[in-house]
Amino acid sequence: EIKWDVVVLDEAQKIRNPDTRRAEAVKELQCRIPIAVTGTPVENGLQDLWSIAEFIIPPLLGSRSEFEENFPDDVSAARRLGQIISPITIRRLVADVADDLPEKREFAVPLQLIDVDRERYEAIGPAILPNHAKLRVFCSHGQVADELQPPRFEDRTKVEHLLSILEELFENGQKALVFTEYVKTLKRLVGEIGIRWPAAFVSAIYGATSPDVRPRILEDF
């Protein structure tokens, strides 16, 4: 019943599914200025962004059916969508908030899938947007355990390459931060690294990690 001046949604991607009770409840709030704060406005498909935009300016992207018809999940539609929402978007870049960081260096390393994985990869289908999430999970070895047999997790292309990098780093007394999108991959990596280098400190932070525990992990690192 309250008419708010401002409603700010932190982690606004949590209303990306318009059918959830959370999204429906949030959109019933009455306010003069709605603000959505998120680092991942699109996680699974462009419809994620439609749901967030419906909270901010409901008429902006049309009805859900109109949006799905006008913006299929492809790069061209994503670019058009970006132009529409840019006037209501404030984007924070790393360079704007952390100017003391050293220059970032990137090395792209193409890796060849082992035969059994290449066959499974090709079975998923062509690398078009609807298959993109499945292919990313597959290449990060984030599947359920049964789908990874055979060969063993530590013998997968990307994992084997990572372990060889870590071996060199640990020999030189260096530290490493390893990022992956998938919790299953993360947990398996922690286990594998802990077995190979029992003297090394290894831990993980992901969505379910308690806020009370996170600072201690960082301090130990």
Side-chain angles (χ1 to χ4, degrees), residues 7 55 63 65 132 171 191:
V7 171
F55 165 72
S63 69
S65 58
H132 197 230
E171 282 177 359

Side-chain angles (χ1 to χ4, degrees), residues 42-73:
V42 175
E43 288 195 23
N44 305 309
L46 297 183
Q47 186 182 293
D48 296 353
L49 190 56
W50 176 85
S51 184
I52 297 171
E54 189 188 35
F55 165 72
I56 302 167
I57 304 178
L60 181 67
L61 300 178
S63 69
R64 186 172 172 182
S65 58
E66 289 171 337
F67 179 84
E68 289 172 352
E69 185 177 342
N70 294 329
F71 297 96
D73 269 330

Side-chain angles (χ1 to χ4, degrees), residues 110-214:
L111 299 173
Q112 188 72 38
L113 287 171
I114 52 179
D115 290 342
V116 65
D117 279 351
R118 193 182 312 117
E119 291 170 8
R120 291 171 179 169
Y121 180 95
E122 290 169 353
I124 293 172
I128 55 177
L129 207 55
N131 292 338
H132 197 230
K134 291 180 182 177
L135 293 170
R136 276 175 30 222
V137 170
F138 188 87
C139 288
S140 292
H141 314 306
Q143 309 94 307
V144 297
D146 292 347
E147 294 175 337
L148 285 171
Q149 304 299 330
R152 301 170 303 169
F153 174 71
E154 59 269 30
D155 295 330
R156 318 311 279 210
T157 306
K158 210 169 187 178
V159 178
E160 192 173 47
H161 183 68
L162 170 65
L163 294 175
S164 69
I165 293 173
L166 291 179
E167 185 168 20
E168 184 178 343
L169 290 174
F170 291 160
E171 282 177 359
N172 293 314
Q174 294 177 294
K175 300 179 183 181
L177 286 170
V178 180
F179 294 86
T180 177
E181 292 180 83
Y182 306 107
V183 175
K184 287 189 179 73
T185 308
L186 189 62
K187 289 181 175 178
R188 290 187 185 118
L189 284 174
V190 168
E192 185 61 32
I193 294 168
I195 291 169
R196 291 203 176 206
W197 295 283
F201 169 78
V202 57
S203 189
I205 294 177
Y206 53 99
T209 307
S210 164
D212 299 331
V213 174
R214 294 178 186 220

Side-chain angles (χ1 to χ4, degrees), residues 81-98:
L81 187 56
Q83 291 172 341
I84 293 170
I85 66 158
S86 63
I88 62 164
T89 303
I90 299 173
R91 188 177 176 200
R92 184 180 67 173
L93 303 176
V94 172
D96 300 332
V97 295

